[in-house]
Amino acid sequence: GAGVSQSPRYKVAKRGQDVALRCDPISGHVSLFWYQQALGQGPEFLTYFQNEAQLDKSGLPSDRFFAERPEGSVSTLKIQRTQQEDSAVYLCASSFTSEDSEQFFGPGTRLTVL
Amino acid sequence: AQSVAQPEDQVNVAEGNPLTVKCTYSVSGNPYLFWYVQYPNRGLQFLLKYITGDNLVKGSYGFEAEFNKSQTSFHLKKPSALVSDSALYFCAVRDPYGNNRLAFGKGNQVVVIP
């Protein structure tokens, strides 16, 4: 595809529900990142994959957050037992493997927890 | 840990006037620096990056940025602003000796007045 795609674009969940957010990176991009962007703030790092390996998950705010990329392409961010403070835009980005490569971002999924 | 400061919340500029968006950074070692722009309900779009070499970096849509190591700054500039430049601008830094995560500033809203 032409860019990073994410689905759904909008998700409304009741507190306590589980949600799954999908990211399709640019074809050929080895690295994949998830960020959380609260209203009026810059994106905050959540986790990073190189191919199927999750190399850094230090930004995940709690054990309710889980990410996977089993075949090294599509990634899913899962949030269990959602809380109101989870309401945010979740951004996915991908890049080539070289360390000076810029990251290309998807449009994001706006999650609202009621 | 790396961090970025964008001291102004909003920058107002008249169309045709020079535009400057300020960014200072903190990182151990030599930084990798990036500027992104975000339009409403869209993901971040890459504008330009500094990795090494010339301190003046040219990017997309007529934007440029100047890396100043002594002042730890990476200000974004455009000689003549357009109304269509009105958007949210984010500065980001990556520690080349750390992991691949980007640390973003809180963003600057730019308003170009016709």
Side-chain angles (χ1 to χ4, degrees):
Chain A
V4 179
S5 61
Q6 293 186 246
S7 61
R9 291 293 312 276
Y10 303 92
K11 177 68 177 178
V12 178
K14 292 183 178 179
R15 189 163 59 94
Q17 283 185 330
D18 298 347
V19 298
L21 312 180
R22 177 188 169 104
C23 172
D24 283 86
I26 294 172
S27 178
H29 279 189
V30 170
S31 299
L32 185 145
F33 305 81
W34 284 98
Y35 293 85
Q36 180 189 60
Q37 186 175 20
L39 189 64
Q41 301 296 319
E44 294 280 346
F45 171 81
L46 293 177
T47 187
Y48 157 61
F49 290 86
Q50 187 165 319
N51 294 306
E52 68 278 5
Q54 190 174 18
L55 299 186
D56 187 351
K57 56 181 181 179
S58 62
L60 296 177
S62 77
D63 58 8
R64 296 186 294 104
F65 286 70
F66 172 77
E68 60 184 4
R69 193 186 185 197
E71 298 180 356
S73 57
V74 171
S75 177
T76 304
L77 176 67
K78 298 179 179 178
I79 308 174
Q80 297 176 325
R81 305 180 303 280
T82 52
Q83 304 294 316
Q84 284 189 322
E85 61 263 30
D86 300 334
S87 296
V89 175
Y90 291 85
L91 297 169
C92 176
S94 69
S95 73
F96 290 109
T97 190
S98 58
E99 60 182 13
D100 61 353
S101 297
E102 61 271 26
Q103 296 176 21
F104 295 86
F105 283 79
T109 295
R110 181 178 297 277
L111 173 65
T112 303
V113 181
L114 302 177
Chain B
Q2 63 264 41
S3 66
V4 162
Q6 294 182 248
E8 299 163 317
D9 288 333
Q10 182 164 312
V11 175
N12 297 324
V13 61
E15 186 178 21
N17 281 4
L19 169 64
T20 298
V21 188
K22 295 180 180 178
C23 171
T24 58
Y25 66 89
S26 174
V27 68
S28 57
N30 294 319
Y32 292 175
L33 294 157
F34 303 82
W35 275 101
Y36 285 85
V37 60
Q38 187 174 38
Y39 296 97
N41 298 316
R42 297 179 65 178
L44 279 72
Q45 296 179 29
F46 170 75
L47 283 179
L48 50 79
K49 65 181 178 183
Y50 171 82
I51 304 299
T52 187
D54 289 343
N55 289 341
L56 185 63
V57 178
K58 294 188 182 297
S60 307
Y61 313 118
F63 284 95
E64 59 188 28
E66 186 168 9
F67 171 65
N68 187 317
K69 188 172 183 179
S70 63
Q71 297 184 5
T72 62
S73 67
F74 189 56
H75 301 331
L76 181 70
K77 300 179 181 181
K78 187 171 183 180
S80 178
L82 303 173
V83 173
S84 57
D85 293 330
S86 298
L88 193 55
Y89 290 80
F90 290 96
C91 182
V93 66
R94 185 184 150 236
D95 181 350
Y97 300 108
N99 55 36
N100 289 323
R101 69 171 67 184
L102 290 177
F104 285 87
K106 63 177 173 59
N108 282 122
Q109 183 67 48
V110 169
V111 178
V112 181
I113 304 164

